[in-house]
Amino acid sequence: MSPPIAPVGWSRWLVPPAALSIHLSIGQAYAWSVFKPPLEDALGLSGTQSALPFQLGIVMLGLSAAFGGTLVERRGPRWAMTVALVCFSSGFLLSALGAATGQFWLIVFGYGFVGGIGLGIGYISPVSTLIKWFPDRPGMATGIAIMGFGGGALIASPWSAQMLESFGSDTSGIALAFLVHGLSYAVFMLLGVLLVRVPRPRAEERADGRDTAPAGPRVSARQALRTPQFWLLWVVLCTNVTAGIGILEKAAPMITDFFADTSTPVSATAAAGFVALLSAANMAGRIGWSSTSDLIGRKNIYRVYLGAGVLMYALIALVGSSSKPLFVLCALVILSFYGGGFATIPAYLKDLFGTYQVGAIHGRLLTAWSTAGVLGPLIVNWIADRQEEAGKHGAELYGTSLLIMMGLLVIGFAANELVRPVHPSHHLDAVTPEKGAPDVGRHQQSESA
């Protein structure tokens, strides 16, 4: 399947909707916490066990993005979106079979392994294409698309809750909900497959007439792995994601526990609404903060994400259980930083390594997401389970987890401070064939900080 090249006169503003159709679909992963309580009741699972499909999905997202990044760059966005459609929808269908037969391992395999591959390939499929279409505003462009991933749960959370209420929260009801998800998302993702285009090879043939010739450094994916900048950004992304995903994966049970002993406990419906609010903040942060990064710079915006994130966690730990509005507000800010971090990282990579193979570099960096996808839910769920076994309840289940998240954000802040421009010796025109990259001639350009 060859990449579809845009005809003369094609508007670049048709590409973001194509990307959104994919990201809004795979963003359902952020609504997994709505399925956790029904699965735990129907199959007798612990909180840690019910998180396994989500955790494996995030692991496979990072791994498939890392190993498939170069292939996605070579085959193009339409091929990648098609693979994402098939894997993501098939994951739901396998999960439906697992729920219907009471086989939890099949839900883990379907949603986590097969669906996770769809998450990874679908996530990176439009990123490099959008950066090539919008070289003047990379933060805004990637923010528009990745906004969809954050906003997917805004649709999926109430939709899933309504289906579970209508179909029932037993195994047959869960299976039917999974089935409807799989078929519906297949149709919606197909719109993106049909609509996506790549820029014409010659810059002067771009519809709006602006020059799309790549500027700045040109670093290959292989060479990027040899730079300290790549690994510093890996730490930055991993810590920011771990801090956010720990709340997101357990959002519904967490807000219920925090206020269980108060005069205004949180119902299951309200908890699902809280998940939807977090999704809205996640989505808004992706477009809002990433667009802001075009104005103030990537390093500065990550200073906000990581530094202010520590303050938000401190407020939740100290006074969150005494004020529901404060708890919700702090969680919303944290999730906006979480989403903004995802949307800003492709532009950060573009600034440091250039547009050449930026999609493949982005895919490799998403292994940080895989790590965080295990760490975040594991820290929160495992500690909560141990605290519950010790006889604690309510907000006491999460005190230690919140302190750990604050420490991780401090580490990420320090790593961001160490980021410097990539040394010219790593640029393509400075790397000899013997070092593992082709000699593309003298085309070295100045690099943005």
Side-chain angles (χ1 to χ4, degrees):
M1 185 181 294
S2 59
I5 299 175
V8 175
W10 180 267
S11 172
R12 64 177 181 171
W13 291 103
L14 293 174
V15 180
L20 274 172
S21 73
I22 302 297
H23 277 239
L24 279 171
S25 299
I26 63 178
Q28 183 280 334
Y30 283 142
W32 177 253
S33 64
V34 175
F35 285 101
K36 281 172 64 70
L39 282 171
E40 291 167 14
D41 294 338
L43 299 178
L45 305 174
S46 68
T48 302
Q49 290 173 320
S50 66
L52 286 175
F54 176 82
Q55 287 178 292
L56 181 58
I58 299 301
V59 169
M60 293 309 301
L61 185 158
L63 293 178
S64 60
F67 289 104
T70 302
L71 191 60
V72 169
E73 288 276 302
R74 184 163 63 247
R75 295 288 185 88
R78 176 168 289 177
W79 175 87
M81 290 179 177
T82 302
V83 172
L85 184 159
V86 172
C87 291
F88 188 66
S89 297
S90 297
F92 269 113
L93 300 183
L94 288 170
S95 298
L97 179 61
T101 58
Q103 300 295 317
F104 182 60
W105 70 268
L106 193 53
I107 298 176
V108 176
F109 175 75
Y111 189 92
F113 184 82
V114 178
I117 295 174
L119 289 177
I121 300 299
Y123 190 87
I124 65 172
S125 59
V127 170
S128 62
T129 303
L130 281 165
I131 288 178
K132 290 169 185 174
W133 275 110
F134 294 87
D136 50 330
R137 287 177 283 180
M140 181 213 69
T142 55
I144 289 175
I146 295 176
M147 172 186 69
F149 193 90
L154 188 62
I155 300 170
S157 180
W159 184 37
S160 300
Q162 182 59 50
M163 277 194 285
L164 290 171
E165 183 177 341
S166 301
F167 301 152
S169 56
D170 57 0
T171 53
S172 61
I174 296 171
L176 189 53
F178 282 150
L179 178 63
V180 173
H181 275 78
L183 297 178
S184 300
Y185 284 132
V187 174
F188 192 58
M189 294 172 77
L190 183 60
L191 298 177
V193 172
L194 298 176
L195 187 60
V196 72
R197 298 289 187 277
V198 296
R200 297 181 66 79
R202 296 179 60 188
E204 62 270 19
E205 292 179 358
R206 246 266 309 266
D208 58 14
R210 281 194 293 271
D211 186 9
T212 59
R218 300 182 72 230
V219 182
S220 69
R222 178 185 297 182
Q223 197 66 22
L225 293 176
R226 302 175 182 176
T227 66
Q229 287 83 357
F230 177 89
W231 297 106
L232 288 169
L233 289 187
W234 193 98
V235 172
V236 167
L237 184 63
C238 184
T239 54
N240 192 56
V241 172
T242 300
I245 209 169
I247 284 184
L248 193 58
E249 188 275 336
K250 202 174 175 65
M254 180 180 287
I255 193 171
T256 302
D257 290 336
F258 252 80
F259 300 97
D261 299 329
T262 68
S263 59
T264 56
V266 178
S267 66
T269 302
F274 175 62
V275 175
L277 278 177
L278 291 181
S279 177
N282 190 351
M283 180 174 62
R286 290 171 187 245
I287 182 62
W289 292 121
S290 62
S291 296
T292 303
S293 77
D294 286 334
L295 301 175
I296 69 173
R298 321 303 171 196
K299 177 176 283 192
N300 285 332
I301 202 68
Y302 272 96
R303 285 169 173 155
V304 174
Y305 299 155
L306 301 162
V310 173
L311 176 61
M312 294 300 104
Y313 265 110
L315 288 174
I316 291 177
L318 294 174
V319 295
S321 60
S322 62
S323 173
K324 193 178 297 182
L326 180 63
F327 177 91
V328 172
L329 178 62
C330 290
L332 292 178
V333 173
I334 290 171
L335 263 295
S336 77
F337 293 159
Y338 169 81
F342 275 121
T344 309
I345 204 69
Y348 210 161
L349 292 172
K350 179 258 182 187
D351 292 346
L352 292 171
F353 302 107
T355 58
Y356 179 77
Q357 294 195 340
V358 67
I361 298 172
H362 184 222
R364 286 159 172 78
L365 192 76
L366 289 181
T367 54
W369 192 357
S370 295
T371 304
V374 174
L375 284 179
L378 181 62
I379 290 170
V380 176
N381 285 288
W382 187 85
I383 292 177
D385 288 344
R386 300 292 80 77
Q387 297 287 60
E388 189 173 12
E389 291 173 0
K392 296 183 179 180
H393 56 86
E396 295 177 330
L397 299 176
Y398 304 99
T400 303
S401 301
L402 297 176
L403 292 175
I404 293 174
M405 298 304 179
M406 291 168 61
L408 289 174
L409 288 173
V410 170
I411 293 173
F413 189 93
N416 183 55
E417 291 302 305
L418 295 174
V419 173
R420 298 290 185 273
V422 175
H423 193 275
S425 63
H426 294 289
H427 296 188
L428 276 182
D429 45 1
V431 178
T432 63
E434 288 74 19
K435 288 186 177 181
D439 184 3
V440 296
R442 298 296 172 188
H443 187 65
Q444 181 174 320
Q445 300 191 29
S446 62
E447 161 182 20
S448 58

